[in-house]
Amino acid sequence: MRWIALALLTSTAACWGQGEEPPGEPVGVFEASGLMVEQSCGGVIPAPDPLELDFQLRQEPGGRAYWQGTGGPIYAGVEQDGEYSFTVSQSYSVIPPDRFRGYPGCSVTQRDLFTFIVEEVVDESADKEEETDTEEALEPALLSLSGSQATEIEPLSGSDCTPAVTAGGGTFLALPCRVAYVLTGTGIAALPAPDPEADSSDE
């Protein structure tokens, strides 16, 4: 994104202090890989193929969700029926205006979209009759992830981005343009927090 790394994972982050408990309850930790299916922006947008992601998810009742890459800040999104969506939009100048030449400049809006579905993996071969309730509670569920990530860049109204594209001597292959990935991955669900009332009743 400027990819996720430069948009979803940069200046638009909500901030929580060091040592402060992040919002929401943990959903799980994930490893995902993205296969590039579109790249019309050119080399100006860093876009590895495949794209590798390591992150954790958290969520709150009511559909608020949180995404955090390894060692990075936390970003807010939404969750509905197992589908998570994170969107970041920012505008920036590519070429400054030149009033002496009457050139309005080139400014663009970059929109980063990260959407995926999380489902529990059902192990049909497991012999459930041999498992106790305690064993099941201590065994984290396996999760699957599927979705997409896209970066879309388009000129702002009133901009002249002709000099910004390759044909005009610029670095963009085209404008508007898009970089897109298909995502697949796996995760481990977070174990439920211990019930303090249950612990006290055992004493």
Side-chain angles (χ1 to χ4, degrees):
M1 286 182 170
R2 280 203 282 171
W3 195 99
I4 266 185
L6 296 182
L8 183 59
L9 304 184
T10 51
S11 60
T12 55
C15 296
W16 288 272
Q18 289 291 333
E20 185 178 350
E21 179 68 17
E25 295 298 321
V27 175
V29 293
F30 296 84
E31 294 181 352
S33 179
L35 175 65
M36 185 185 294
V37 293
E38 184 176 353
Q39 165 54 301
S40 60
C41 295
V44 66
I45 302 298
D49 188 18
L51 176 67
E52 303 296 340
L53 296 172
D54 296 309
F55 60 95
Q56 64 171 305
L57 285 177
R58 301 176 72 92
Q59 68 181 53
E60 294 177 330
R64 195 67 166 168
Y66 302 93
W67 191 103
Q68 183 180 30
T70 303
I74 299 174
Y75 301 85
V78 295
E79 181 274 336
Q80 184 176 9
D81 298 329
E83 181 175 86
Y84 293 80
S85 297
F86 299 86
T87 302
V88 172
S89 182
Q90 61 177 335
S91 298
Y92 56 92
S93 174
V94 177
I95 303 175
D98 186 339
R99 62 187 181 88
F100 295 105
R101 294 192 296 115
Y103 174 65
C106 171
S107 293
V108 299
T109 293
Q110 177 173 314
R111 207 167 290 108
D112 295 286
L113 314 168
F114 188 24
T115 302
F116 54 88
I117 293 174
V118 172
E119 298 177 307
E120 184 173 344
V121 177
V122 179
D123 185 0
E124 298 179 352
S125 65
D127 187 353
K128 298 300 182 181
E129 294 181 359
E130 295 181 359
E131 297 180 356
T132 66
D133 292 341
T134 301
E135 289 172 336
E136 289 179 352
L138 295 177
E139 186 71 21
L142 298 179
L143 304 172
S144 67
L145 177 148
S146 60
S148 63
Q149 187 277 319
T151 296
E152 301 172 347
I153 301 177
E154 61 181 19
L156 290 177
S157 177
S159 288
D160 178 4
C161 289
T162 303
V165 300
T166 302
T171 53
F172 284 91
L173 185 61
L175 281 173
C177 67
R178 189 170 187 265
V179 180
Y181 293 88
V182 172
L183 299 176
T184 57
T186 58
I188 299 176
L191 290 172
D195 185 347
E197 294 184 1
D199 292 341
S200 61
S201 64
D202 293 337
E203 297 177 356

